[in-house]
Amino acid sequence: MGPALSRRAFLLASGMTTTGVALEIALSSTPAASSAVTPSTTTPMTTVHTVAGPHGTGGYRRLSDGPGWRRVTRTELAEAKKGRAERRTALACFVQFTDLHITDVQNPQRYEFLRAGDMGSWRPQEALTAVGAVSLIEQVNALRYGPATRAPIGFVMTTGDNTDNNSRIELEWFLTAMTGGRFTPNTGDPGAYEGVQNSGLGLYWQPDSGMRDIDKRVGFPRLDGFLEAAIREVSSPGLAIPWYSTIGNHDQLFGGAYSAAGGFFADLATGSRKLYALPASEAGAVYRALRRGDPTGAHFRAAWKRYRGKARTVTADERRAPLSPHAYIAAHLDPAYTGSGPVGHGYTRDNLDSGRLDYSFRIADGVVGISLDTTDRGGDYRGSVGTRQLAWLERTLKTHADDTALIFSHHPSWAMTNLAPNPARPHEKRHGGQELLAALRKHGNVAAWINGHSHLNKIVPHGGFWEISTASHVDYPQLARVVELADNHDGTLSLFTTLVESAAPHRTDFTDLSQNGLAALYRELSFNSPGMRSGLAGLPGDRNTELLLKKH
């Protein structure tokens, strides 16, 4: 029997606090004092109202409307004082996107073959990342107002892993989706799919085939026409509000884990040979090496070379070339991708000249945002920051000592354990999550550190501020998070967090291979994806919340 459950843990796990139910009633009926405008249309449902949930039994389960997640009030950092709902003023309202993982599933540099050693290393839904991202954009455009304070949503911040393979074409797709336009999520042969899903290998779901592959054995359907639909042109309305960009390890490193050492991965990505399978023992060894830390991909490269004779010929495509930090910033600054703004989406000419991916920006009067690059260019999926970055962060927080500060990064504190030197600055010390937490605690104006990477909803108090980590949009439950900051005018602030799903319907129709139908299927496939971790939705206290903290 495990240790006794504390009262706080019980309340978080059950979704109840002493004020949670009463507060939810107040939130649904009382607008914030600063929000005089009432939306003219019905606000779309959030996860407070309903969440896609499974029904039926068996290996493959269908989704439909499920019960919502109530709002939980958390008071570890400050008392929840009575009457605050009537007093409060909204200070800021925005949406966090994280881990969209818009993926070129035909890229030869991808390591789907690790699935032979770990089932979660490849996802049956990956070919639909583009339509899933566009559906999320459509939902935010429809939402318009914060569900708690009713303040207009001011912007969207992405917290990294916007793409999957650090490739030029994936970044083009991401930027087009965010700013609006049409794009075709296909590379290589313009008229055919050349990936693992029509390979005839039972290791992967073969949707257009009657083959009894490993996924069909647990109930995955046969869907004739799926692959043709998956590489069809996608149309995105683009975000109707400004958006900012934070970089993640998959945006900057090969496969999110390997550095550019030797040019092997660049040549592989743009070349014409793709390895579809490895023996289970070999795949397991490469996977274990990656998890321990294999920054140059030595185990990956060795395995590929041993089995290169089994690689298949595919159509080479230079658009899969990797991006340097300079090219990544330049793409954001391209006027073609300005959309609703701002120009550069946080990155400026100074970032372009220096190659640094850290910046600050004004969120609202009295509120500043700071975007921090936590990816080590030397490799490894885990994060850290350099001494120069840490000094810049501290200077920026001192400069904005009178502002409430919100920190954005890709990695959460618990995933910042990679202290390997940055090849561009080999003598500079790297600093992990605990050191970054210590630095942030020294500044009383920090209200929240908002991040992703772990594909998990998790909210942790740290002295005077909250760390808010949000689940991905590639793994179920496929969420974004609305964050609202409000002054309660009683010496406290409230941070409201509300999770939202994409605009796609919860119920799927296997005969509907339209863009909207595919977006619904994207969610359902992710729920059923074999090998995926359970519990990524987190506890109730990690989902829809009111987080109290003292006003600095």
Side-chain angles (χ1 to χ4, degrees), residues 292-446:
R292 290 193 301 266
D294 183 19
T296 64
H299 287 78
F300 179 107
R301 288 183 289 165
W304 202 95
K305 289 174 182 177
R306 278 195 294 273
Y307 291 91
R308 65 184 305 160
K310 296 185 180 297
R312 302 188 185 185
T313 299
V314 296
T315 306
D317 195 330
E318 287 295 327
R319 297 178 301 164
R320 296 169 176 150
L323 286 148
S324 66
H326 183 275
Y328 188 87
I329 297 166
H332 281 75
L333 286 163
D334 187 335
Y337 298 124
T338 297
S340 297
V343 174
H345 304 289
Y347 300 119
T348 65
R349 176 62 60 174
D350 286 343
N351 293 109
L352 188 65
D353 293 341
S354 67
R356 293 177 57 189
L357 289 132
D358 310 306
Y359 63 89
S360 63
F361 66 107
R362 175 61 59 186
I363 291 177
D365 290 343
V367 185
V368 67
I370 299 174
S371 174
L372 197 60
D373 173 16
T374 54
T375 297
D376 188 339
R377 296 172 194 171
D380 201 304
Y381 62 95
R382 293 163 292 196
S384 60
V385 294
T387 297
R388 183 176 63 160
Q389 288 179 280
L390 201 57
W392 172 85
L393 174 63
E394 297 231 45
R395 288 195 306 272
T396 303
L397 286 170
K398 288 178 182 177
T399 300
H400 294 280
D402 294 332
D403 292 317
T404 298
L406 302 175
I407 313 299
F408 301 94
S409 74
H410 179 61
H411 294 87
S413 60
W414 55 89
M416 293 181 64
T417 56
N418 169 26
L419 304 182
N422 179 346
R425 303 179 66 85
H427 302 297
E428 182 183 52
K429 182 180 177 183
R430 302 293 294 183
H431 305 269
Q434 292 306 308
E435 287 183 89
L436 184 51
L437 284 174
L440 295 177
R441 286 191 190 102
K442 292 190 298 185
H443 299 272
N445 58 330
V446 176

Side-chain angles (χ1 to χ4, degrees), residues 115-130:
R115 197 183 204 208
D118 178 82
M119 283 295 289
S121 296
W122 177 80
R123 309 171 178 93
Q125 72 271 20
E126 288 179 353
L128 302 179
T129 52

Side-chain angles (χ1 to χ4, degrees), residues 44 97 130-144 177-178 234-240 473 500-505 515-517 519-520:
F97 285 2
V131 294
V134 170
S135 185
L136 186 62
I137 289 166
E138 291 170 342
Q139 176 75 316
V140 171
N141 285 347
L143 191 59
R144 298 177 59 203
M178 295 290 278
V234 174
S235 178
S236 174
L239 282 166
H473 203 254
V500 294
E501 300 172 293
S502 78
Q515 185 171 314
N516 194 48

